[in-house]
Amino acid sequence: MKAFGTLGAETLAGASNGSPEKSVLFYASDDMEVNHDVEEVIKNAGFEPLKVGGIDQSIRIEVFGDLHEFGALGKAVNLTEAKSKL
């Protein structure tokens, strides 16, 4: 499982509990049994969870990946923007 690595610390602090829409935190997981728990942690941190796929897709949410703030994405995004990138 990979999560919380898609935004830098400063953005994590500033983008939490966004309004009117929350920012997305992407995650990747092969373990279907933990997805609910991971999503709850992400929601409790003030973000909208969005699974990008299995662990084989985690490269997308690594630094310089297409879904990382310091990669092609370039910023925190809301759910509508995030879904357009998948």
Side-chain angles (χ1 to χ4, degrees):
M1 195 265 315
K2 163 84 175 157
F4 287 100
T6 61
L7 298 173
E10 188 173 312
T11 303
L12 277 171
S16 179
N17 293 307
S19 178
E21 291 186 73
K22 291 183 179 180
S23 294
V24 165
L25 271 182
F26 298 102
Y27 75 99
S29 173
D30 288 332
D31 188 346
M32 298 299 287
E33 293 181 23
V34 301
N35 288 350
H36 175 74
D37 294 335
V38 170
E39 290 185 3
E40 285 301 309
V41 169
I42 291 171
K43 287 177 185 178
N44 288 339
F47 294 89
E48 187 69 38
L50 184 59
K51 184 175 178 183
V52 300
I55 203 71
D56 63 325
Q57 295 297 306
S58 65
I59 192 69
R60 298 183 71 194
I61 58 178
E62 295 287 344
V63 174
F64 305 119
D66 68 314
L67 297 176
H68 194 284
E69 175 185 21
F70 302 131
L73 197 57
K75 63 178 182 167
V77 295
N78 64 35
L79 189 58
T80 302
E81 293 170 309
K83 285 183 175 180
S84 75
K85 303 293 183 186
L86 292 181

XYZ file of all heavy atoms in Angstrom:
640
model
N 0.839 -1.168 0.000
C 0.000 0.000 0.000
C 0.885 1.232 0.000
O 1.899 1.278 0.654
C -0.887 -0.026 1.248
C -2.031 0.925 1.205
S -1.812 2.527 1.983
C -1.073 2.216 3.510
N 0.490 2.224 -0.768
C 1.211 3.499 -0.858
C 0.196 4.615 -0.770
O -0.794 4.632 -1.494
C 1.976 3.558 -2.182
C 2.438 4.919 -2.617
C 3.725 5.302 -1.994
C 4.175 6.636 -2.586
N 5.066 7.339 -1.767
N 0.391 5.553 0.159
C -0.493 6.712 0.298
C 0.278 7.841 0.968
O 1.358 7.638 1.502
C -1.722 6.355 1.132
N -0.278 8.999 0.975
C 0.246 10.200 1.629
C 1.527 10.741 1.019
O 2.054 11.714 1.493
C 0.454 9.994 3.138
C -0.836 9.945 3.894
C -1.373 8.733 4.268
C -1.527 11.095 4.190
C -2.565 8.671 4.949
C -2.718 11.056 4.878
C -3.249 9.829 5.257
N 2.046 10.139 -0.012
C 3.272 10.629 -0.608
C 3.051 11.533 -1.800
O 4.005 11.910 -2.453
N 1.807 11.879 -2.112
C 1.550 12.621 -3.340
C 1.601 14.130 -3.169
O 1.561 14.854 -4.151
C 0.185 12.234 -3.941
O -0.841 12.544 -3.011
C 0.139 10.762 -4.274
N 1.684 14.596 -1.926
C 1.750 16.029 -1.661
C 2.898 16.323 -0.710
O 3.182 15.540 0.191
C 0.446 16.533 -1.035
C -0.825 16.390 -1.867
C -2.050 16.765 -1.042
C -0.752 17.225 -3.119
N 3.535 17.468 -0.896
C 4.574 17.900 0.025
C 3.980 18.300 1.365
O 2.779 18.552 1.492
N 4.814 18.393 2.394
C 4.346 18.692 3.754
C 3.595 20.019 3.832
O 2.552 20.110 4.479
C 5.528 18.689 4.713
N 4.105 21.042 3.167
C 3.450 22.345 3.199
C 2.065 22.285 2.553
O 1.100 22.846 3.064
C 4.317 23.376 2.488
C 3.818 24.795 2.642
C 4.783 25.808 2.067
O 5.987 25.724 2.359
O 4.300 26.680 1.318
N 1.959 21.583 1.444
C 0.673 21.444 0.766
C -0.279 20.594 1.598
O -1.470 20.894 1.677
C 0.849 20.838 -0.635
O 1.751 21.665 -1.370
C -0.469 20.753 -1.385
N 0.234 19.525 2.210
C -0.616 18.707 3.077
C -1.270 19.562 4.155
O -2.465 19.452 4.407
C 0.191 17.582 3.736
C 0.404 16.325 2.933
C 1.404 15.412 3.638
C -0.891 15.578 2.683
N -0.495 20.416 4.767
C -1.019 21.267 5.835
C -2.020 22.289 5.307
O -3.055 22.532 5.919
C 0.125 21.981 6.553
N -1.737 22.864 4.151
C -2.595 23.911 3.607
C -3.827 23.421 2.877
O -4.822 24.127 2.788
N -3.773 22.195 2.345
C -4.879 21.697 1.524
C -5.876 20.845 2.305
O -6.925 20.486 1.786
C -4.323 20.876 0.352
N -5.560 20.530 3.534
C -6.455 19.711 4.349
C -7.782 20.427 4.584
O -7.807 21.630 4.831
C -5.780 19.418 5.694
O -6.613 18.646 6.510
N -8.869 19.670 4.479
C -10.225 20.191 4.708
C -10.566 21.364 3.805
O -11.174 22.336 4.237
C -10.434 20.559 6.177
C -10.407 19.348 7.064
O -11.127 18.379 6.835
N -9.553 19.364 8.069
N -10.172 21.262 2.539
C -10.457 22.311 1.570
C -11.944 22.541 1.389
O -12.769 21.672 1.640
N -12.285 23.730 0.929
C -13.678 24.077 0.710
C -13.755 24.891 -0.577
O -12.891 25.737 -0.814
C -14.177 24.902 1.887
O -15.504 25.289 1.696
N -14.707 24.700 -1.443
C -15.888 23.852 -1.285
C -15.616 22.359 -1.509
O -16.405 21.534 -1.087
C -16.857 24.384 -2.336
C -15.974 24.890 -3.424
C -14.742 25.426 -2.717
N -14.523 22.029 -2.182
C -14.200 20.617 -2.381
C -12.873 20.291 -1.701
O -11.949 21.090 -1.727
C -14.058 20.286 -3.873
C -15.347 20.338 -4.654
C -15.133 19.858 -6.076
O -14.963 18.647 -6.269
O -15.111 20.724 -6.973
N -12.800 19.095 -1.142
C -11.553 18.646 -0.535
C -10.557 18.260 -1.622
O -10.934 17.828 -2.702
C -11.799 17.433 0.357
C -12.592 17.753 1.604
C -12.739 16.527 2.466
C -13.507 16.877 3.727
N -13.672 15.721 4.597
N -9.282 18.413 -1.300
C -8.229 17.934 -2.187
C -8.127 16.420 -2.079
O -8.482 15.830 -1.066
C -6.887 18.563 -1.801
O -6.911 19.940 -2.021
N -7.605 15.822 -3.124
C -7.469 14.365 -3.204
C -6.106 13.924 -2.682
O -5.106 14.608 -2.896
C -7.634 13.907 -4.672
C -7.144 12.487 -4.880
C -9.083 14.014 -5.090
N -6.100 12.796 -2.004
C -4.871 12.062 -1.738
C -5.022 10.725 -2.441
O -5.963 9.973 -2.170
C -4.645 11.836 -0.247
C -3.883 12.913 0.485
C -3.700 12.539 1.951
C -2.538 13.187 -0.140
N -4.133 10.469 -3.366
C -4.144 9.216 -4.106
C -3.528 8.111 -3.264
O -2.671 8.374 -2.428
C -3.317 9.356 -5.390
C -3.836 10.375 -6.355
C -3.233 11.612 -6.457
C -4.912 10.083 -7.177
C -3.682 12.560 -7.362
C -5.382 11.019 -8.085
C -4.764 12.258 -8.175
N -3.957 6.887 -3.517
C -3.296 5.733 -2.908
C -3.342 4.566 -3.875
O -4.142 4.529 -4.800
C -3.909 5.376 -1.553
C -5.255 4.685 -1.600
C -5.343 3.298 -1.469
C -6.425 5.400 -1.757
C -6.570 2.661 -1.505
C -7.651 4.771 -1.786
C -7.718 3.395 -1.662
O -8.934 2.761 -1.699
N -2.422 3.626 -3.661
C -2.346 2.408 -4.470
C -2.270 1.226 -3.518
O -1.556 1.276 -2.514
C -1.118 2.437 -5.366
N -3.023 0.170 -3.833
C -3.034 -0.990 -2.948
C -3.486 -2.234 -3.694
O -4.374 -2.161 -4.542
C -3.995 -0.733 -1.776
O -4.150 -1.893 -0.992
N -2.869 -3.343 -3.358
C -3.306 -4.649 -3.857
C -4.153 -5.379 -2.824
O -4.746 -6.401 -3.127
C -2.092 -5.532 -4.193
C -1.362 -5.065 -5.432
O -2.002 -4.452 -6.312
O -0.149 -5.302 -5.516
N -4.191 -4.879 -1.613
C -4.872 -5.553 -0.506
C -6.265 -4.963 -0.308
O -6.432 -3.936 0.346
C -4.045 -5.409 0.769
C -4.570 -6.232 1.926
O -5.715 -6.718 1.856
O -3.822 -6.385 2.911
N -7.257 -5.601 -0.875
C -8.636 -5.109 -0.800
C -9.141 -4.998 0.646
O -10.014 -4.201 0.935
C -9.576 -6.008 -1.604
C -9.242 -6.059 -3.100
S -9.347 -4.445 -3.890
C -11.099 -4.218 -3.930
N -8.573 -5.769 1.544
C -9.035 -5.761 2.936
C -8.653 -4.487 3.677
O -9.283 -4.141 4.670
C -8.491 -6.980 3.676
C -9.088 -8.282 3.159
C -8.563 -9.492 3.899
O -8.094 -9.345 5.050
O -8.637 -10.593 3.343
N -7.632 -3.777 3.217
C -7.211 -2.560 3.916
C -7.729 -1.284 3.263
O -7.590 -0.211 3.848
C -5.666 -2.482 4.055
C -5.129 -3.675 4.804
C -4.999 -2.296 2.729
N -8.309 -1.374 2.090
C -8.743 -0.174 1.377
C -9.675 0.701 2.203
O -9.515 1.921 2.237
C -9.391 -0.527 0.043
C -8.392 -1.017 -0.977
O -7.192 -0.934 -0.786
N -8.890 -1.560 -2.069
N -10.636 0.107 2.865
C -11.576 0.882 3.682
C -10.835 1.629 4.788
O -11.083 2.822 5.014
C -12.656 -0.019 4.290
C -13.571 0.711 5.217
N -14.542 1.576 4.768
C -13.634 0.745 6.562
C -15.172 2.097 5.809
N -14.632 1.607 6.911
N -9.921 0.945 5.450
C -9.156 1.584 6.534
C -8.278 2.711 6.004
O -8.183 3.773 6.623
C -8.301 0.546 7.265
C -9.138 -0.478 8.021
O -10.296 -0.158 8.388
O -8.640 -1.591 8.236
N -7.626 2.495 4.877
C -6.789 3.527 4.270
C -7.637 4.738 3.916
O -7.254 5.882 4.192
C -6.065 2.989 3.017
C -5.398 4.106 2.235
C -5.058 1.918 3.402
N -8.795 4.497 3.335
C -9.677 5.605 2.968
C -10.154 6.376 4.194
O -10.269 7.597 4.154
C -10.831 5.099 2.121
C -10.366 4.664 0.742
C -11.489 4.263 -0.196
O -12.678 4.361 0.186
O -11.162 3.876 -1.333
N -10.407 5.690 5.276
C -10.824 6.363 6.516
C -9.709 7.250 7.061
O -9.960 8.372 7.499
C -11.264 5.342 7.572
C -12.626 4.744 7.297
C -13.732 5.797 7.227
O -13.843 6.629 8.151
O -14.482 5.790 6.229
N -8.473 6.774 7.027
C -7.336 7.576 7.486
C -7.205 8.833 6.621
O -7.004 9.935 7.138
C -6.031 6.747 7.466
C -4.816 7.633 7.669
C -6.084 5.645 8.510
N -7.325 8.663 5.322
C -7.221 9.805 4.403
C -8.354 10.797 4.663
O -8.129 12.006 4.730
C -7.201 9.323 2.935
C -5.886 8.578 2.661
C -7.383 10.496 1.970
C -5.837 7.873 1.318
N -9.573 10.312 4.841
C -10.707 11.199 5.135
C -10.513 11.921 6.464
O -10.789 13.126 6.569
C -12.010 10.393 5.171
C -12.481 9.952 3.808
C -13.744 9.102 3.927
C -14.165 8.549 2.583
N -15.357 7.682 2.689
N -10.021 11.193 7.473
C -9.789 11.807 8.786
C -8.709 12.879 8.738
O -8.692 13.782 9.574
C -9.432 10.743 9.827
C -10.625 9.885 10.203
O -11.777 10.277 10.015
N -10.361 8.702 10.714
N -7.823 12.790 7.762
C -6.784 13.808 7.582
C -7.311 15.014 6.805
O -6.587 15.992 6.608
C -5.576 13.201 6.867
N -8.563 14.949 6.336
C -9.181 16.088 5.656
C -9.074 16.067 4.146
O -9.205 17.100 3.496
N -8.883 14.876 3.573
C -8.748 14.739 2.131
C -9.750 13.733 1.583
O -10.340 12.955 2.325
C -7.327 14.276 1.766
C -6.277 15.292 2.084
C -5.666 15.307 3.320
C -5.919 16.250 1.154
C -4.709 16.257 3.633
C -4.966 17.203 1.451
C -4.356 17.207 2.693
N -9.912 13.753 0.282
C -10.753 12.789 -0.434
C -9.830 11.675 -0.952
O -8.891 11.951 -1.686
C -11.461 13.486 -1.595
C -12.465 12.643 -2.304
C -13.689 12.339 -1.471
O -14.144 13.224 -0.717
O -14.199 11.216 -1.575
N -10.082 10.418 -0.582
C -9.235 9.326 -1.079
C -9.592 8.938 -2.511
O -10.753 8.971 -2.901
C -9.547 8.178 -0.121
C -10.926 8.447 0.368
C -11.088 9.949 0.366
N -8.570 8.585 -3.281
C -8.801 8.097 -4.643
C -7.752 7.033 -4.964
O -6.557 7.337 -5.013
C -8.735 9.233 -5.662
C -9.066 8.849 -7.105
C -10.476 8.251 -7.223
C -8.929 10.043 -8.019
N -8.203 5.831 -5.172
C -7.318 4.718 -5.493
C -6.924 4.807 -6.969
O -7.778 4.948 -7.838
C -8.004 3.385 -5.211
C -7.108 2.193 -5.436
C -7.790 0.908 -5.036
C -6.856 -0.264 -5.342
N -7.504 -1.537 -5.027
N -5.616 4.708 -7.229
C -5.120 4.774 -8.605
C -4.957 3.392 -9.208
O -4.710 3.275 -10.401
C -3.790 5.551 -8.719
C -3.976 6.968 -8.243
C -2.667 4.856 -7.992
N -5.083 2.370 -8.398
C -4.930 1.003 -8.864
C -4.123 0.195 -7.866
O -3.994 0.574 -6.705
N -3.559 -0.890 -8.361
C -2.739 -1.746 -7.519
C -1.367 -1.149 -7.302
O -1.021 -0.084 -7.834
N -0.567 -1.868 -6.537
C 0.761 -1.384 -6.202
C 1.628 -1.176 -7.449
O 2.536 -0.348 -7.450
C 1.435 -2.306 -5.165
C 2.525 -1.569 -4.390
C 1.951 -3.578 -5.804
C 2.004 -0.561 -3.433
N 1.285 -1.865 -8.526
C 2.023 -1.669 -9.777
C 1.813 -0.270 -10.351
O 2.578 0.189 -11.196
C 1.644 -2.730 -10.814
C 0.190 -2.675 -11.231
O -0.677 -2.365 -10.379
O -0.099 -2.956 -12.404
N 0.799 0.442 -9.880
C 0.530 1.813 -10.319
C 1.103 2.856 -9.358
O 0.960 4.055 -9.587
C -0.976 2.031 -10.461
C -1.612 1.193 -11.543
C -1.064 1.556 -12.905
O -1.073 2.712 -13.305
N -0.558 0.560 -13.616
N 1.749 2.405 -8.283
C 2.260 3.342 -7.279
C 3.309 4.298 -7.847
O 3.490 5.400 -7.324
C 2.826 2.601 -6.071
O 3.963 1.847 -6.421
N 3.981 3.926 -8.912
C 4.963 4.804 -9.543
C 4.323 6.125 -9.966
O 4.968 7.174 -9.977
C 5.655 4.102 -10.743
C 6.871 4.895 -11.217
C 4.683 3.883 -11.895
C 8.014 4.896 -10.258
N 3.034 6.099 -10.251
C 2.319 7.309 -10.666
C 2.217 8.334 -9.541
O 2.090 9.531 -9.798
C 0.924 6.958 -11.166
C 0.938 6.062 -12.387
C -0.448 5.810 -12.896
N -0.952 7.052 -13.492
C -2.230 7.254 -13.785
N -3.133 6.329 -13.554
N -2.607 8.399 -14.337
N 2.254 7.867 -8.272
C 2.106 8.783 -7.141
C 3.434 9.030 -6.428
O 3.473 9.669 -5.382
C 1.005 8.324 -6.165
C 1.262 6.926 -5.612
C -0.348 8.379 -6.851
C 0.215 6.455 -4.607
N 4.517 8.546 -6.998
C 5.859 8.829 -6.481
C 6.307 10.206 -6.984
O 5.761 10.735 -7.954
C 6.855 7.772 -6.978
C 6.594 6.371 -6.469
C 6.939 6.190 -4.999
O 7.654 7.033 -4.433
O 6.479 5.193 -4.422
N 7.329 10.784 -6.325
C 7.892 12.062 -6.766
C 8.245 11.949 -8.251
O 8.811 10.948 -8.690
C 9.139 12.429 -5.938
C 9.803 13.682 -6.488
C 8.768 12.621 -4.475
N 7.864 12.937 -9.010
C 8.031 13.052 -10.460
C 7.037 12.196 -11.243
O 7.055 12.212 -12.474
C 9.476 12.753 -10.913
C 10.496 13.599 -10.215
C 11.483 13.013 -9.448
C 10.454 14.983 -10.311
C 12.429 13.807 -8.791
C 11.389 15.769 -9.655
C 12.385 15.173 -8.894
N 6.139 11.482 -10.584
C 5.099 10.732 -11.277
C 4.002 11.661 -11.792
O 3.905 12.821 -11.384
N 3.163 11.136 -12.640
C 2.130 11.984 -13.249
C 1.022 12.399 -12.286
O 0.252 13.305 -12.592
C 1.542 11.311 -14.498
C 0.733 10.065 -14.207
O 1.201 9.209 -13.424
O -0.359 9.935 -14.780
N 0.943 11.770 -11.103
C -0.085 12.143 -10.129
C 0.520 12.704 -8.842
O -0.111 12.690 -7.792
C -0.968 10.927 -9.805
C -1.755 10.360 -10.981
C -2.508 9.109 -10.561
C -2.706 11.396 -11.559
N 1.728 13.200 -8.912
C 2.402 13.761 -7.744
C 2.525 15.268 -7.884
O 2.695 15.789 -8.986
C 3.799 13.142 -7.592
C 4.421 13.406 -6.257
N 4.969 14.621 -5.927
C 4.571 12.611 -5.173
C 5.435 14.570 -4.687
N 5.205 13.357 -4.211
N 2.441 15.949 -6.754
C 2.577 17.410 -6.760
C 3.903 17.847 -7.384
O 3.962 18.862 -8.073
C 2.482 17.942 -5.332
C 2.727 19.428 -5.236
C 2.749 19.951 -3.821
O 2.972 19.181 -2.864
O 2.550 21.167 -3.680
N 4.972 17.119 -7.146
C 6.286 17.471 -7.689
C 6.574 16.728 -8.980
O 7.722 16.536 -9.361
C 7.380 17.208 -6.659
C 7.173 17.977 -5.376
C 7.260 17.333 -4.169
C 6.867 19.332 -5.389
C 7.054 18.029 -2.978
C 6.667 20.032 -4.212
C 6.762 19.371 -2.994
N 5.536 16.306 -9.657
C 5.638 15.667 -10.963
C 4.750 16.402 -11.941
O 4.586 17.623 -11.865
N 4.121 15.656 -12.819
C 3.282 16.255 -13.854
C 2.044 16.943 -13.297
O 1.548 17.899 -13.888
C 2.874 15.192 -14.871
N 1.543 16.482 -12.150
C 0.326 17.072 -11.591
C 0.564 18.524 -11.175
O -0.211 19.406 -11.485
C -0.164 16.235 -10.410
C -1.588 16.442 -9.966
C -2.576 16.205 -11.090
C -1.906 15.553 -8.787
N 1.630 18.776 -10.443
C 2.051 20.132 -10.127
C 1.313 20.861 -9.022
O 1.670 21.976 -8.677
N 0.272 20.252 -8.449
C -0.509 20.937 -7.408
C -1.457 19.941 -6.759
O -1.638 18.821 -7.233
C -1.325 22.076 -8.018
C -2.362 21.572 -9.022
C -3.188 22.699 -9.589
C -4.244 22.125 -10.536
N -5.252 23.086 -10.885
N -2.084 20.360 -5.672
C -3.174 19.585 -5.080
C -4.396 19.753 -5.977
O -4.619 20.834 -6.530
C -3.472 20.079 -3.667
N -5.173 18.696 -6.149
C -6.353 18.745 -7.015
C -7.578 18.219 -6.282
O -7.463 17.442 -5.337
C -6.139 17.939 -8.317
C -5.054 18.559 -9.174
C -5.822 16.484 -8.024
N -8.752 18.644 -6.738
C -9.989 18.116 -6.173
C -10.379 16.829 -6.910
O -9.711 16.427 -7.863
C -11.107 19.169 -6.197
C -11.501 19.579 -7.604
O -11.496 18.774 -8.537
N -11.850 20.841 -7.779
N -11.450 16.215 -6.492
C -11.852 14.916 -7.039
C -12.160 14.989 -8.532
O -11.753 14.123 -9.296
C -13.055 14.357 -6.270
C -13.456 12.936 -6.576
C -12.304 11.964 -6.334
C -14.659 12.533 -5.731
N -12.830 16.033 -8.966
C -13.153 16.178 -10.388
C -11.883 16.274 -11.219
O -11.747 15.593 -12.242
C -14.035 17.428 -10.606
O -15.215 17.307 -9.821
C -14.403 17.582 -12.064
N -10.945 17.098 -10.781
C -9.670 17.234 -11.505
C -8.896 15.923 -11.487
O -8.321 15.514 -12.493
C -8.804 18.324 -10.859
C -9.371 19.722 -10.999
C -8.608 20.724 -10.144
O -8.415 20.491 -8.940
O -8.206 21.761 -10.713
N -8.875 15.264 -10.329
C -8.116 14.014 -10.194
C -8.657 12.922 -11.115
O -7.895 12.218 -11.758
C -8.153 13.554 -8.742
N -9.969 12.781 -11.156
C -10.560 11.739 -12.000
C -10.244 11.978 -13.470
O -10.112 11.022 -14.236
C -12.069 11.660 -11.780
C -12.425 10.991 -10.469
C -13.921 10.856 -10.310
C -14.291 10.082 -9.059
N -15.740 9.947 -8.904
N -10.097 13.221 -13.865
C -9.759 13.499 -15.275
C -8.334 13.086 -15.609
O -7.989 12.932 -16.773
C -9.972 14.977 -15.590
O -8.942 15.772 -15.037
N -7.494 12.912 -14.597
C -6.095 12.516 -14.794
C -5.905 10.996 -14.828
O -4.861 10.513 -15.221
C -5.199 13.095 -13.703
C -5.256 14.597 -13.599
C -4.682 15.268 -14.812
C -4.683 16.788 -14.639
N -4.270 17.470 -15.833
N -6.912 10.279 -14.331
C -6.781 8.816 -14.310
C -7.066 8.275 -15.680
O -6.629 7.333 -16.147
C -7.740 8.193 -13.294
C -7.432 8.480 -11.839
C -8.444 7.782 -10.944
C -6.033 8.079 -11.439
